[in-house]
Amino acid sequence: VDDDDDDGCRGDGGGGGGGGSSSSGRDDDGDDDGGGGGGGAPPLDARLAGSAVTQLYNYARTLEQLEHYDEAERIYVSIVVHHATYVDAYVRLAAMAAARERHHRAGVWLDKVFVLHPHHTDTRCMQAVLHMRRHELLAAQKKFEEVLKARDTKHDAYALVALANVYYTAKFERQDKADSFLRHAFTFYRDALQRDPANLFAANGVALVLAEQNKFKEAKDFFIQIREALGDRVMPSVWVNLAHVYMASGQFVTAQKMYATASARYYNDKDIELLVYLARAYYEDGKYAD
């Protein structure tokens, strides 16, 4: 069963500014000076010394979103060199390192945040995500539990869903405790959904557990509601999981349609695992030539 867990930082405070970017860029001669042309904006170090640091941070965020990671990293590092307490820059450095699977480096940046802000919720969640990526489930569990034990974040929806994901994942590794882990996962998904009925990740989690418990009708109803609520948002696992439920219910033709739609719409028919699911649906339906 596929699980769309929100596997990253929830965002940052915008560096004290909005989401806009500066007009900085390269000179006509192609040299990258951080936006400081000969007769234009002052050089990077000069702007870091003044109030323009927020604009530089937002410019780096834009570069990051455009996947110009090296340029963005250079600016973030310059920011923390000149402004050692600029937490959001450390967070972005950690997020970029994690995205490029440089987990140790990401951890180093997050440690610097904790020195400045020991109770920084997003950083604690990012640490937990790093543990998840390294498959250190117990460590991830403890980090998310720390967030939920804090007075200001004891009902944090992100942490509730993420902790449920930890238990859901652990169930596949400890068959002797699978039922217990599944119950814990359901409890946290349900709590998140009760506090925020529009939380599609929590709803998806509830449906996952129902499907694991062979409650296919209830699971199908959940997945259909989630699919209808998605709008333009991308959540391919809903289609795949719905197809799984139809397969388990013996509705092979409908499952074929769900798998085929997800494969074409979200993966350009290049995801091997999904194509195997589709082939199995044809096989179970007796369509061996397909």
Side-chain angles (χ1 to χ4, degrees):
V1 178
D2 291 338
D3 182 17
D4 272 329
D5 55 341
D6 187 4
D7 200 28
C9 183
R10 289 170 289 185
D12 51 74
S21 63
S22 75
S23 59
S24 303
R26 292 178 179 268
D27 290 338
D28 291 336
D29 61 4
D31 293 331
D32 187 357
D33 62 2
L44 180 60
D45 286 351
R47 283 178 287 155
L48 283 165
S51 61
V53 63
T54 297
Q55 283 71 33
L56 278 173
Y57 172 87
N58 289 329
Y59 177 50
R61 288 289 283 130
T62 300
L63 290 172
E64 183 184 348
Q65 290 163 1
L66 293 173
E67 299 183 1
H68 299 321
Y69 297 125
D70 291 337
E71 295 176 68
E73 182 177 23
R74 183 174 65 84
I75 294 176
Y76 289 138
V77 169
S78 295
I79 289 174
V80 299
V81 166
H82 288 78
H83 300 270
T85 60
Y86 206 102
V87 169
D88 288 337
Y90 289 116
V91 171
R92 296 318 312 159
L93 284 164
M96 285 200 306
R100 291 188 278 182
E101 298 187 358
R102 299 174 181 174
H103 297 146
H104 175 75
R105 187 175 180 83
V108 171
W109 290 121
L110 291 177
D111 287 343
K112 293 181 182 296
V113 175
F114 274 118
V115 171
L116 300 169
H117 198 328
H119 304 292
H120 195 271
T121 300
D122 278 358
T123 303
R124 200 173 297 279
C125 286
M126 285 185 68
Q127 279 193 321
V129 168
L130 288 176
H131 287 305
M132 285 283 285
R133 290 180 178 176
R134 292 194 293 258
H135 227 64
E136 300 165 354
L137 299 183
L138 182 59
Q141 173 190 337
K142 290 180 178 179
K143 289 296 180 183
F144 287 128
E145 287 175 344
E146 288 173 5
V147 173
L148 294 172
K149 287 177 182 176
R151 183 180 62 182
D152 295 337
T153 55
K154 62 181 179 180
H155 302 307
D156 186 273
Y158 179 94
L160 284 169
V161 173
L163 183 55
N165 288 340
V166 172
Y167 278 110
Y168 185 84
T169 302
K171 117 182 212 328
F172 296 101
E173 301 191 354
R174 290 290 304 273
Q175 291 299 315
D176 58 321
K177 293 189 175 182
D179 290 341
S180 174
F181 287 160
L182 203 59
R183 286 194 297 271
H184 281 302
F186 184 82
T187 297
F188 288 113
Y189 285 134
R190 183 193 58 197
D191 288 352
L193 189 60
Q194 288 176 341
R195 297 186 182 283
D196 180 10
N199 189 323
L200 298 183
F201 293 103
N204 189 57
V206 168
L208 286 174
V209 176
L210 290 172
E212 291 282 349
Q213 295 173 334
N214 297 325
K215 298 177 180 178
F216 299 125
K217 184 182 183 304
E218 295 94 327
K220 181 180 70 175
D221 290 342
F222 259 97
F223 284 130
I224 289 174
Q225 291 179 50
I226 297 168
R227 185 185 63 182
E228 293 174 349
L230 279 173
D232 295 330
R233 285 170 287 185
V234 176
M235 199 171 177
S237 71
V238 172
W239 291 81
V240 178
N241 289 331
L242 185 55
H244 289 338
V245 171
Y246 281 122
M247 279 289 292
S249 304
Q251 297 175 265
F252 303 128
V253 174
T254 307
Q256 293 160 22
K257 292 178 180 178
M258 294 292 103
Y259 287 135
T261 297
S263 180
R265 181 176 298 179
Y266 301 113
Y267 300 103
N268 198 28
D269 289 329
K270 293 182 179 179
D271 185 278
I272 301 300
E273 184 177 26
L274 188 49
L275 292 174
V276 170
Y277 290 149
L278 180 57
R280 179 170 172 265
Y282 284 126
Y283 179 85
E284 295 292 341
D285 197 26
K287 299 176 181 177
Y288 304 124
D290 294 332

